Amino acid sequence: LFFPLFLLPSLSLSPRRERKMAGSMTIWFFVVLSISILLSWTNPRGETIKPFSLTPLYSSTQSASSSSNEDISGLRYDFYHETCPQAESIVRTHMARLYSDHDNVSAALLRLFFHDCFIEGCDASVLLDDSNGDKNHSIERQAIPNQTLRGFDKIDSIKEELEKACPGVVSCADIVSIATRDGIMLAGGPFYPVLTGRRDSIHSYFNEALAAIPRPDDNITQTLHLFDLRGFDERETVSLLGAHNIGKIGCEFIQKRLFNFKGTGQPDPTIAPDFLTEMRMRCQDSNRTTTRPSSSMASLEMSESAVGMSYLQALSSSISSGAGFDTHYYQSLLSGRGLLFADQQLMANEKTARLVRAYASDDGSTFRMDFARAMMKMSGLNVLTGSQGQVRRNCSLPLVSS
Protein backbone atom coordinates (compact mmCIF):
# COMPACT_ATOMS: atom_id res chain seq x y z
CA LEU A 1 0.00 0.00 0.00
CA PHE A 2 2.86 2.40 0.72
CA PHE A 3 4.81 1.59 -2.43
CA PRO A 4 3.20 4.04 -4.90
CA LEU A 5 3.58 6.96 -2.52
CA PHE A 6 7.26 6.39 -1.97
CA LEU A 7 8.16 5.32 -5.49
CA LEU A 8 11.54 6.86 -6.18
CA PRO A 9 12.10 7.41 -9.90
CA SER A 10 15.71 7.09 -10.99
CA LEU A 11 17.55 10.38 -11.32
CA SER A 12 19.73 9.12 -14.15
CA LEU A 13 17.33 7.56 -16.64
CA SER A 14 18.00 6.65 -20.22
CA PRO A 15 16.16 8.81 -22.81
CA ARG A 16 13.85 5.91 -23.70
CA ARG A 17 13.02 5.26 -20.07
CA GLU A 18 12.43 8.99 -19.45
CA ARG A 19 9.89 9.13 -22.29
CA LYS A 20 8.13 6.09 -20.92
CA MET A 21 8.09 7.57 -17.43
CA ALA A 22 6.73 10.91 -18.67
CA GLY A 23 3.75 9.08 -20.16
CA SER A 24 3.01 7.18 -16.95
CA MET A 25 3.70 9.82 -14.31
CA THR A 26 0.30 11.50 -14.74
CA ILE A 27 -1.39 8.21 -13.82
CA TRP A 28 0.97 7.76 -10.88
CA PHE A 29 0.26 11.32 -9.75
CA PHE A 30 -3.43 10.67 -9.24
CA VAL A 31 -2.79 7.22 -7.76
CA VAL A 32 -0.45 8.89 -5.24
CA LEU A 33 -3.03 11.52 -4.32
CA SER A 34 -5.85 9.02 -3.97
CA ILE A 35 -3.77 6.72 -1.78
CA SER A 36 -2.53 9.72 0.23
CA ILE A 37 -6.10 10.61 1.14
CA LEU A 38 -6.80 7.04 2.27
CA LEU A 39 -3.58 6.83 4.24
CA SER A 40 -4.17 10.19 5.89
CA TRP A 41 -6.79 8.50 8.07
CA THR A 42 -4.18 6.12 9.45
CA ASN A 43 -2.78 7.30 12.79
CA PRO A 44 0.90 6.62 13.51
CA ARG A 45 1.26 3.95 16.19
CA GLY A 46 -2.27 4.44 17.46
CA GLU A 47 -1.86 8.15 18.17
CA THR A 48 -5.02 10.25 18.05
CA ILE A 49 -4.19 12.67 15.27
CA LYS A 50 -6.68 14.35 13.00
CA PRO A 51 -6.44 13.37 9.34
CA PHE A 52 -4.32 15.37 6.93
CA SER A 53 -6.35 17.65 4.70
CA LEU A 54 -5.67 18.41 1.06
CA THR A 55 -8.02 21.41 1.14
CA PRO A 56 -5.35 23.95 0.13
CA LEU A 57 -4.63 21.88 -2.99
CA TYR A 58 -8.10 20.72 -3.93
CA SER A 59 -11.55 22.26 -3.56
CA SER A 60 -14.37 20.30 -1.95
CA THR A 61 -15.96 19.84 -5.36
CA GLN A 62 -12.85 18.55 -7.10
CA SER A 63 -11.96 14.92 -6.53
CA ALA A 64 -8.30 14.01 -6.17
CA SER A 65 -8.91 11.23 -8.65
CA SER A 66 -10.42 13.64 -11.20
CA SER A 67 -9.28 13.37 -14.78
CA SER A 68 -8.17 17.00 -14.62
CA ASN A 69 -4.52 17.56 -13.78
CA GLU A 70 -4.93 21.17 -12.65
CA ASP A 71 -5.49 22.30 -9.08
CA ILE A 72 -7.44 25.33 -7.88
CA SER A 73 -4.32 27.49 -7.62
CA GLY A 74 -3.76 27.27 -11.38
CA LEU A 75 -0.80 24.89 -11.13
CA ARG A 76 -0.79 21.80 -13.33
CA TYR A 77 1.09 18.58 -13.60
CA ASP A 78 3.62 18.69 -16.48
CA PHE A 79 2.87 22.37 -17.18
CA TYR A 80 5.81 22.58 -19.59
CA HIS A 81 4.79 19.55 -21.65
CA GLU A 82 4.49 21.60 -24.84
CA THR A 83 6.64 24.67 -24.19
CA CYS A 84 9.68 22.93 -22.68
CA PRO A 85 9.14 19.16 -22.45
CA GLN A 86 12.69 18.51 -21.25
CA ALA A 87 12.46 21.03 -18.38
CA GLU A 88 12.12 18.62 -15.47
CA SER A 89 14.64 16.23 -16.99
CA ILE A 90 17.18 19.08 -17.18
CA VAL A 91 16.58 19.95 -13.53
CA ARG A 92 16.81 16.30 -12.48
CA THR A 93 20.04 15.68 -14.37
CA HIS A 94 21.65 18.89 -13.13
CA MET A 95 20.67 18.16 -9.53
CA ALA A 96 22.18 14.68 -9.75
CA ARG A 97 25.41 16.26 -10.95
CA LEU A 98 25.38 18.88 -8.18
CA TYR A 99 24.65 16.27 -5.53
CA SER A 100 27.52 14.08 -6.65
CA ASP A 101 29.88 17.01 -6.03
CA HIS A 102 28.19 18.51 -2.95
CA ASP A 103 25.74 16.28 -1.10
CA ASN A 104 24.80 19.19 1.18
CA VAL A 105 23.04 20.85 -1.76
CA SER A 106 19.84 19.03 -0.79
CA ALA A 107 19.67 20.67 2.64
CA ALA A 108 20.68 24.06 1.23
CA LEU A 109 17.91 24.09 -1.38
CA LEU A 110 15.33 22.73 1.06
CA ARG A 111 16.03 25.67 3.37
CA LEU A 112 15.98 28.10 0.44
CA PHE A 113 12.62 26.70 -0.66
CA PHE A 114 11.19 27.03 2.84
CA HIS A 115 12.34 30.63 3.28
CA ASP A 116 10.89 31.55 -0.11
CA CYS A 117 7.50 29.89 0.32
CA PHE A 118 7.04 30.96 3.93
CA ILE A 119 7.12 34.65 2.94
CA GLU A 120 4.34 35.68 0.53
CA GLY A 121 4.31 32.25 -1.11
CA CYS A 122 6.47 30.25 -3.52
CA ASP A 123 7.34 33.06 -5.92
CA ALA A 124 11.17 33.12 -5.97
CA SER A 125 11.12 36.52 -4.25
CA VAL A 126 14.01 35.43 -2.00
CA LEU A 127 16.25 35.12 -5.08
CA LEU A 128 15.94 38.78 -6.08
CA ASP A 129 19.10 40.86 -5.81
CA ASP A 130 18.27 44.17 -7.47
CA SER A 131 19.51 46.60 -4.81
CA ASN A 132 22.44 47.66 -7.04
CA GLY A 133 24.34 48.73 -3.95
CA ASP A 134 21.52 51.03 -2.79
CA LYS A 135 21.42 50.68 1.02
CA ASN A 136 17.98 52.29 1.09
CA HIS A 137 16.58 49.47 -1.06
CA SER A 138 16.42 46.48 1.29
CA ILE A 139 15.80 43.10 -0.27
CA GLU A 140 14.60 39.81 1.15
CA ARG A 141 18.00 38.18 0.96
CA GLN A 142 19.37 40.82 3.35
CA ALA A 143 16.90 40.04 6.15
CA ILE A 144 18.74 38.49 9.10
CA PRO A 145 17.04 35.07 8.83
CA ASN A 146 18.09 34.87 5.16
CA GLN A 147 21.70 35.98 5.45
CA THR A 148 22.95 32.41 5.89
CA LEU A 149 20.95 30.93 3.02
CA ARG A 150 22.96 29.02 0.44
CA GLY A 151 22.21 27.58 -2.96
CA PHE A 152 21.52 30.73 -4.97
CA ASP A 153 24.34 29.85 -7.33
CA LYS A 154 22.94 26.33 -7.78
CA ILE A 155 19.57 27.70 -8.87
CA ASP A 156 21.36 30.11 -11.22
CA SER A 157 23.27 27.26 -12.84
CA ILE A 158 20.06 25.28 -13.43
CA LYS A 159 18.39 28.39 -14.82
CA GLU A 160 21.25 28.91 -17.27
CA GLU A 161 20.77 25.43 -18.71
CA LEU A 162 17.02 25.90 -19.01
CA GLU A 163 17.46 29.27 -20.72
CA LYS A 164 19.66 27.61 -23.34
CA ALA A 165 17.01 24.97 -24.01
CA CYS A 166 13.84 27.07 -23.63
CA PRO A 167 14.50 30.82 -23.31
CA GLY A 168 12.10 32.71 -21.08
CA VAL A 169 9.84 29.74 -20.40
CA VAL A 170 10.58 28.08 -17.04
CA SER A 171 10.11 30.25 -13.96
CA CYS A 172 12.64 30.50 -11.17
CA ALA A 173 9.86 29.62 -8.70
CA ASP A 174 9.24 26.32 -10.48
CA ILE A 175 12.97 25.60 -10.59
CA VAL A 176 13.25 26.03 -6.81
CA SER A 177 10.28 23.72 -6.18
CA ILE A 178 11.40 20.98 -8.59
CA ALA A 179 15.08 21.12 -7.62
CA THR A 180 14.17 20.92 -3.92
CA ARG A 181 12.05 17.82 -4.48
CA ASP A 182 14.79 16.16 -6.53
CA GLY A 183 17.35 17.08 -3.87
CA ILE A 184 15.21 15.48 -1.17
CA MET A 185 14.99 12.28 -3.23
CA LEU A 186 18.75 12.26 -3.75
CA ALA A 187 19.19 12.52 0.02
CA GLY A 188 17.01 9.44 0.47
CA GLY A 189 13.75 11.25 1.06
CA PRO A 190 10.31 10.48 -0.38
CA PHE A 191 9.04 11.27 -3.84
CA TYR A 192 6.09 13.64 -4.11
CA PRO A 193 4.54 15.19 -7.23
CA VAL A 194 5.30 18.84 -7.94
CA LEU A 195 2.69 20.74 -9.90
CA THR A 196 4.13 23.53 -12.05
CA GLY A 197 3.12 26.79 -13.64
CA ARG A 198 4.37 29.19 -10.95
CA ARG A 199 5.46 32.64 -11.98
CA ASP A 200 8.06 34.89 -10.37
CA SER A 201 7.45 37.88 -8.14
CA ILE A 202 8.78 41.30 -9.14
CA HIS A 203 8.85 42.33 -5.48
CA SER A 204 11.11 41.40 -2.58
CA TYR A 205 9.76 41.28 0.97
CA PHE A 206 12.46 42.39 3.40
CA ASN A 207 10.24 43.43 6.32
CA GLU A 208 8.05 40.33 6.07
CA ALA A 209 11.09 38.02 6.07
CA LEU A 210 12.54 39.88 9.05
CA ALA A 211 9.38 39.38 11.07
CA ALA A 212 7.83 36.08 10.01
CA ILE A 213 10.57 33.47 9.49
CA PRO A 214 10.58 31.10 12.49
CA ARG A 215 13.64 31.64 14.68
CA PRO A 216 15.94 29.02 16.22
CA ASP A 217 15.16 30.36 19.72
CA ASP A 218 11.36 30.51 19.33
CA ASN A 219 9.29 28.68 21.90
CA ILE A 220 6.66 26.15 20.82
CA THR A 221 3.83 28.69 21.00
CA GLN A 222 5.62 31.06 18.63
CA THR A 223 6.56 28.29 16.22
CA LEU A 224 3.05 26.85 16.01
CA HIS A 225 1.59 30.35 15.58
CA LEU A 226 3.80 31.18 12.58
CA PHE A 227 2.99 27.88 10.89
CA ASP A 228 -0.70 28.24 11.69
CA LEU A 229 -0.76 31.64 9.95
CA ARG A 230 0.19 29.76 6.78
CA GLY A 231 -2.39 27.03 7.24
CA PHE A 232 -0.25 24.28 8.80
CA ASP A 233 -1.54 22.37 11.80
CA GLU A 234 0.58 20.73 14.51
CA ARG A 235 1.05 17.49 12.60
CA GLU A 236 2.18 19.26 9.43
CA THR A 237 4.49 21.54 11.45
CA VAL A 238 6.20 18.66 13.23
CA SER A 239 6.65 16.75 9.97
CA LEU A 240 8.10 19.78 8.17
CA LEU A 241 10.58 20.46 10.97
CA GLY A 242 11.81 16.92 10.36
CA ALA A 243 13.64 18.41 7.38
CA HIS A 244 16.38 19.17 9.91
CA ASN A 245 17.41 15.52 9.73
CA ILE A 246 19.56 16.32 6.68
CA GLY A 247 22.37 18.82 6.49
CA LYS A 248 24.06 20.64 9.34
CA ILE A 249 22.80 23.24 11.79
CA GLY A 250 25.34 26.08 11.65
CA CYS A 251 27.05 26.91 14.93
CA GLU A 252 25.84 30.51 14.70
CA PHE A 253 22.33 29.18 15.37
CA ILE A 254 23.48 27.15 18.39
CA GLN A 255 26.01 29.29 20.26
CA LYS A 256 23.62 31.58 22.14
CA ARG A 257 21.94 28.49 23.55
CA LEU A 258 25.32 27.17 24.65
CA PHE A 259 26.83 30.29 26.17
CA ASN A 260 24.27 33.09 26.56
CA PHE A 261 20.76 31.65 26.64
CA LYS A 262 18.11 34.37 26.65
CA GLY A 263 20.76 36.93 27.63
CA THR A 264 21.58 35.19 30.93
CA GLY A 265 25.25 34.64 30.19
CA GLN A 266 24.64 30.95 30.95
CA PRO A 267 23.74 27.91 28.80
CA ASP A 268 20.20 26.66 28.36
CA PRO A 269 19.59 24.83 31.67
CA THR A 270 17.54 22.16 29.91
CA ILE A 271 20.57 20.82 27.99
CA ALA A 272 21.99 17.67 29.55
CA PRO A 273 25.57 18.27 30.82
CA ASP A 274 27.13 15.61 28.59
CA PHE A 275 25.38 16.94 25.51
CA LEU A 276 26.32 20.53 26.40
CA THR A 277 29.97 19.50 26.54
CA GLU A 278 29.71 17.74 23.18
CA MET A 279 28.03 20.70 21.53
CA ARG A 280 30.57 23.14 22.95
CA MET A 281 33.42 21.02 21.59
CA ARG A 282 31.94 21.24 18.10
CA CYS A 283 30.96 24.90 18.37
CA GLN A 284 33.62 26.72 20.34
CA ASP A 285 32.60 29.95 22.09
CA SER A 286 34.44 32.73 20.33
CA ASN A 287 33.40 36.31 19.84
CA ARG A 288 35.44 36.35 16.67
CA THR A 289 33.00 33.91 15.03
CA THR A 290 29.67 34.66 16.67
CA THR A 291 29.02 38.13 15.33
CA ARG A 292 25.80 38.45 13.38
CA PRO A 293 26.37 38.07 9.64
CA SER A 294 26.79 41.33 7.80
CA SER A 295 23.99 42.56 5.55
CA SER A 296 26.33 42.75 2.59
CA MET A 297 25.53 40.45 -0.28
CA ALA A 298 29.02 38.97 -0.10
CA SER A 299 28.13 37.29 3.19
CA LEU A 300 25.09 35.49 1.90
CA GLU A 301 26.91 32.43 0.60
CA MET A 302 28.39 30.45 3.47
CA SER A 303 31.34 28.17 2.93
CA GLU A 304 30.56 24.64 1.85
CA SER A 305 32.63 23.53 4.85
CA ALA A 306 30.84 25.74 7.40
CA VAL A 307 31.15 24.45 10.97
CA GLY A 308 28.04 22.92 12.47
CA MET A 309 26.35 19.81 13.77
CA SER A 310 23.92 17.39 12.21
CA TYR A 311 21.14 15.57 13.99
CA LEU A 312 22.85 12.31 13.16
CA GLN A 313 25.86 13.54 15.13
CA ALA A 314 23.54 14.64 17.95
CA LEU A 315 22.35 11.09 18.58
CA SER A 316 23.99 9.19 21.39
CA SER A 317 25.93 6.09 20.41
CA SER A 318 23.28 3.91 22.03
CA ILE A 319 20.68 4.88 19.45
CA SER A 320 20.69 3.14 16.11
CA SER A 321 19.95 5.32 13.11
CA GLY A 322 20.68 5.28 9.42
CA ALA A 323 22.46 8.11 7.70
CA GLY A 324 19.63 8.88 5.30
CA PHE A 325 16.31 10.66 5.43
CA ASP A 326 14.91 8.85 8.44
CA THR A 327 13.75 9.53 12.01
CA HIS A 328 16.99 10.42 13.83
CA TYR A 329 15.73 14.01 14.24
CA TYR A 330 12.79 12.76 16.33
CA GLN A 331 14.93 10.23 18.18
CA SER A 332 17.27 13.06 19.13
CA LEU A 333 14.40 15.12 20.56
CA LEU A 334 13.19 12.15 22.61
CA SER A 335 16.68 11.90 24.09
CA GLY A 336 16.77 15.62 24.91
CA ARG A 337 19.44 16.17 22.28
CA GLY A 338 17.75 18.76 20.09
CA LEU A 339 20.32 21.12 18.59
CA LEU A 340 18.02 24.13 18.36
CA PHE A 341 15.91 25.38 21.24
CA ALA A 342 12.94 25.62 18.86
CA ASP A 343 13.38 21.96 17.89
CA GLN A 344 13.61 20.70 21.47
CA GLN A 345 10.51 22.77 22.27
CA LEU A 346 8.45 20.23 20.31
CA MET A 347 8.67 18.14 23.49
CA ALA A 348 7.19 20.99 25.58
CA ASN A 349 3.72 20.69 24.06
CA GLU A 350 1.56 17.62 24.69
CA LYS A 351 0.34 17.24 21.12
CA THR A 352 3.64 17.92 19.36
CA ALA A 353 5.48 15.65 21.81
CA ARG A 354 3.01 12.87 21.01
CA LEU A 355 3.74 13.36 17.32
CA VAL A 356 7.49 13.24 17.93
CA ARG A 357 7.07 9.94 19.77
CA ALA A 358 4.88 8.56 16.99
CA TYR A 359 7.33 9.51 14.21
CA ALA A 360 10.26 8.07 16.17
CA SER A 361 8.54 4.80 16.96
CA ASP A 362 8.24 3.20 13.52
CA ASP A 363 10.46 2.59 10.52
CA GLY A 364 10.08 6.15 9.23
CA SER A 365 7.23 5.46 6.82
CA THR A 366 4.73 7.61 8.72
CA PHE A 367 7.10 10.57 8.82
CA ARG A 368 7.99 10.22 5.15
CA MET A 369 4.32 10.08 4.16
CA ASP A 370 3.38 13.14 6.21
CA PHE A 371 6.48 15.05 5.14
CA ALA A 372 5.74 14.42 1.45
CA ARG A 373 2.18 15.64 1.77
CA ALA A 374 3.17 18.72 3.80
CA MET A 375 5.79 19.59 1.17
CA MET A 376 3.15 19.30 -1.56
CA LYS A 377 0.99 21.69 0.42
CA MET A 378 3.82 24.16 1.03
CA SER A 379 4.81 24.18 -2.64
CA GLY A 380 1.33 25.53 -3.47
CA LEU A 381 1.32 28.42 -0.99
CA ASN A 382 0.13 31.71 -2.54
CA VAL A 383 1.63 30.96 -5.93
CA LEU A 384 1.51 33.41 -8.82
CA THR A 385 0.04 31.90 -12.00
CA GLY A 386 -1.44 32.94 -15.33
CA SER A 387 -0.87 36.63 -15.95
CA GLN A 388 0.46 37.28 -12.43
CA GLY A 389 4.11 38.02 -11.92
CA GLN A 390 6.60 37.22 -14.66
CA VAL A 391 9.12 34.63 -15.81
CA ARG A 392 12.56 36.03 -15.08
CA ARG A 393 15.42 35.41 -17.48
CA ASN A 394 17.85 35.94 -14.60
CA CYS A 395 16.63 34.68 -11.22
CA SER A 396 18.31 37.56 -9.40
CA LEU A 397 16.72 40.35 -11.44
CA PRO A 398 13.14 41.22 -12.45
CA LEU A 399 12.48 41.79 -16.14
CA VAL A 400 11.49 45.33 -15.32
CA SER A 401 12.44 47.44 -12.34
CA SER A 402 9.95 47.25 -9.49
Side-chain angles (χ1 to χ4, degrees):
L1 185 60
F2 282 87
F3 178 72
L5 182 60
F6 303 125
L7 181 67
L8 300 181
S10 169
L11 292 176
S12 57
L13 303 176
S14 67
R16 180 178 179 182
R17 192 176 174 191
E18 284 190 354
R19 287 194 298 271
K20 183 176 180 181
M21 177 170 288
S24 63
M25 279 302 292
T26 299
I27 296 174
W28 274 117
F29 172 65
F30 293 113
V31 170
V32 167
L33 288 177
S34 299
I35 291 178
S36 296
I37 291 175
L38 293 174
L39 290 177
S40 69
W41 296 86
T42 303
N43 295 334
R45 291 286 180 174
E47 296 293 332
T48 304
I49 305 171
K50 75 177 183 179
F52 184 91
S53 170
L54 287 176
T55 301
L57 289 178
Y58 292 92
S59 68
S60 59
T61 59
Q62 182 180 9
S63 168
S65 59
S66 165
S67 60
S68 170
N69 66 346
E70 181 172 351
D71 80 343
I72 59 175
S73 70
L75 299 179
R76 299 204 309 269
Y77 180 76
D78 204 13
F79 178 83
Y80 299 106
H81 176 71
E82 295 183 357
T83 56
C84 190
Q86 68 271 47
E88 294 197 33
S89 175
I90 290 174
V91 177
R92 183 168 60 246
T93 301
H94 197 94
M95 278 299 298
R97 191 159 59 245
L98 289 172
Y99 186 84
S100 68
D101 294 333
H102 308 284
D103 60 7
N104 57 1
V105 69
S106 299
L109 293 189
L110 179 52
R111 186 165 178 250
L112 189 66
F113 165 85
F114 175 83
H115 281 232
D116 180 44
C117 294
F118 215 73
I119 301 301
E120 300 299 320
C122 304
D123 58 5
S125 58
V126 74
L127 304 181
L128 283 171
D129 179 17
D130 61 340
S131 62
N132 295 317
D134 181 0
K135 295 182 179 179
N136 295 319
H137 180 70
S138 298
I139 57 176
E140 204 167 321
R141 287 168 66 166
Q142 292 173 323
I144 290 171
N146 291 337
Q147 289 179 6
T148 53
L149 290 177
R150 296 182 291 110
F152 296 99
D153 58 328
K154 308 301 188 291
I155 298 298
D156 287 341
S157 66
I158 297 172
K159 178 64 170 176
E160 288 176 8
E161 286 200 22
L162 286 167
E163 284 297 302
K164 292 175 184 176
C166 315
V169 173
V170 182
S171 70
C172 300
D174 274 344
I175 293 172
V176 173
S177 292
I178 298 168
T180 297
R181 189 275 311 277
D182 290 349
I184 289 169
M185 291 171 59
L186 284 161
F191 167 78
Y192 57 92
V194 173
L195 304 182
T196 43
R198 296 167 191 78
R199 288 170 66 84
D200 302 323
S201 173
I202 61 173
H203 300 293
S204 190
Y205 302 99
F206 173 82
N207 291 327
E208 290 83 352
L210 197 62
I213 294 289
R215 298 176 182 274
D217 58 352
D218 279 349
N219 61 37
I220 187 60
T221 301
Q222 293 166 321
T223 297
L224 291 177
H225 174 66
L226 289 174
F227 277 86
D228 179 66
L229 289 176
R230 284 145 187 85
F232 295 100
D233 63 17
E234 293 94 336
R235 181 173 182 173
E236 295 161 337
T237 300
V238 176
S239 67
L240 286 169
L241 288 175
H244 286 167
N245 69 16
I246 61 171
K248 287 185 176 181
I249 305 292
C251 284
E252 68 272 23
F253 299 111
I254 301 174
Q255 283 177 326
K256 284 187 178 180
R257 190 181 181 210
L258 302 183
F259 301 100
N260 187 26
F261 182 65
K262 303 292 185 182
T264 62
Q266 299 296 321
D268 178 355
T270 67
I271 304 176
D274 62 329
F275 190 43
L276 177 63
T277 300
E278 181 181 340
M279 293 172 75
R280 282 181 164 179
M281 287 179 61
R282 293 184 180 274
C283 296
Q284 297 292 325
D285 181 25
S286 172
N287 290 331
R288 69 180 181 274
T289 61
T290 58
T291 54
R292 179 170 288 173
S294 139
S295 61
S296 68
M297 300 311 296
S299 70
L300 290 175
E301 281 296 312
M302 293 177 62
S303 167
E304 294 287 346
S305 59
V307 178
M309 285 187 70
S310 71
Y311 267 96
L312 192 61
Q313 292 170 328
L315 281 173
S316 66
S317 58
S318 63
I319 298 177
S320 175
S321 176
F325 200 95
D326 64 9
T327 63
H328 50 264
Y329 169 77
Y330 302 106
Q331 295 176 45
S332 295
L333 301 186
L334 285 178
S335 302
R337 299 172 72 85
L339 297 178
L340 301 180
F341 176 74
D343 285 337
Q344 192 60 51
Q345 276 282 291
L346 291 181
M347 298 304 297
N349 173 283
E350 181 181 352
K351 187 165 187 177
T352 56
R354 191 164 65 242
L355 284 157
V356 169
R357 289 191 291 270
Y359 287 144
S361 65
D362 71 5
D363 60 0
S365 58
T366 304
F367 159 59
R368 292 165 64 89
M369 175 181 68
D370 283 1
F371 179 79
R373 291 181 302 188
M375 286 295 288
M376 285 176 61
K377 180 174 177 177
M378 178 165 282
S379 69
L381 287 181
N382 299 327
V383 294
L384 302 174
T385 58
S387 61
Q388 300 171 315
Q390 59 185 209
V391 175
R392 296 183 214 143
R393 296 294 188 97
N394 180 329
C395 288
S396 298
L397 300 172
L399 293 180
V400 294
S401 175
S402 59

